[in-house]
Amino acid sequence: MGTTGNTGRGKGSSAAPAGRPGSTAKVSAKVYRRRRLVAVVMALLVIGALVAGGFFVAGLLGAGSQGAAQGGTVANSGTEKAKSAAKAGTPPSAVCDEAGIKVNASVDKPSYAADEKPVLTLQVTNSGKANCDINVGTSQMEFVITSGEDIIFNSKFCQANATDLVKNLAPGESEKANMVWQLNRTAPDCAKVVSVPGRGGATYALVATLGKWSSEKVSFTLQ
């Protein structure tokens, strides 16, 4: 009986520990499967969130989004469209168009009596599409009056204290300069001239120049 009791206790002792480990193994398998299922679901949720987030970030960053591959092509396409739109718009206006600078000459009357002196006018106009810095100082001005091939008067011949004056002319803007011709003749280096311009209906032509730009001839008469 003692032996049998010991054996029973031995069997009981062996069965109980053996049963517990076996029971623990079965529970671990179930937990493992559950955890695995949860992990898969969480992974899918994370991937979905990243994909959705990628499109959202690309939409927020626009043309600056190079990190989001999903929106990179769209952003770049948008940039190209913007460039195309800019090309199709107004032309660039950063550089002065010198071909748009026009100089005109005029006189205040077509004919002058014996007691009248002609008022000569030089007008420079920016007819281009960009602002231009133009030197409109007396150093750049020249009024020339001719009779046929004869130079009667040149404002440069006796000019003194010439100055520079740079002005920024916007498209469509003009600047004017006037001078009164004293009905005198001039010679190079301001040499003395005794003769005076003829009158009695004599016709003269005026050309005004500002730097590299010159006007067309304008005619008038002296009575």
Side-chain angles (χ1 to χ4, degrees):
M1 290 177 62
T3 303
T4 304
N6 290 337
T7 303
R9 284 195 300 270
K11 287 182 180 179
S13 299
S14 300
R20 282 195 294 272
S23 175
T24 301
K26 292 179 182 179
V27 173
S28 297
K30 292 179 181 179
V31 171
Y32 175 74
R33 284 194 296 270
R34 288 173 186 167
R35 288 179 179 174
R36 200 173 168 191
L37 179 59
V38 170
V40 171
V41 172
M42 291 299 294
L44 290 174
L45 290 175
V46 170
I47 291 172
L50 288 175
V51 172
F55 278 106
F56 180 66
V57 171
L60 285 179
L61 297 181
S65 174
Q66 295 299 326
Q70 302 283 352
T73 303
V74 175
N76 291 336
S77 296
T79 304
E80 293 301 324
K81 287 180 181 178
K83 289 180 180 178
S84 299
K87 290 179 181 178
T90 56
S93 58
V95 180
C96 171
D97 177 14
E98 292 189 352
I101 303 302
K102 306 296 182 183
V103 170
N104 293 312
S106 62
V107 290
D108 60 328
K109 294 177 67 175
S111 181
Y112 297 90
D115 60 344
E116 295 178 323
K117 294 178 179 179
V119 178
L120 316 179
T121 298
L122 179 157
Q123 177 175 295
V124 55
T125 301
N126 181 4
S127 63
K129 296 181 179 180
N131 284 36
C132 291
D133 287 332
I134 304 296
N135 188 344
V136 296
T138 55
S139 64
Q140 305 299 307
M141 294 181 189
E142 184 178 39
F143 295 87
V144 178
I145 297 174
T146 58
S147 176
E149 297 297 321
D150 186 14
I151 297 177
I152 305 298
F153 174 84
N154 187 321
S155 62
K156 285 286 190 181
F157 289 167
C158 294
Q159 188 179 51
N161 302 318
T163 59
D164 293 323
L165 178 60
V166 177
K167 287 199 172 185
N168 186 271
L169 293 185
E173 282 190 337
S174 298
E175 288 288 336
K176 287 184 178 181
N178 300 320
M179 73 162 291
V180 178
W181 182 32
Q182 299 298 325
L183 300 174
N184 59 320
R185 291 187 67 133
T186 59
D189 299 322
C190 205
K192 186 177 180 180
V193 180
V194 178
S195 63
V196 295
R199 305 190 71 96
T203 300
Y204 296 89
L206 166 67
V207 172
T209 298
L210 182 70
K212 63 180 74 173
W213 301 282
S214 295
S215 70
E216 300 291 335
K217 289 183 178 180
V218 176
S219 298
F220 62 94
T221 59
L222 296 180
Q223 302 300 332

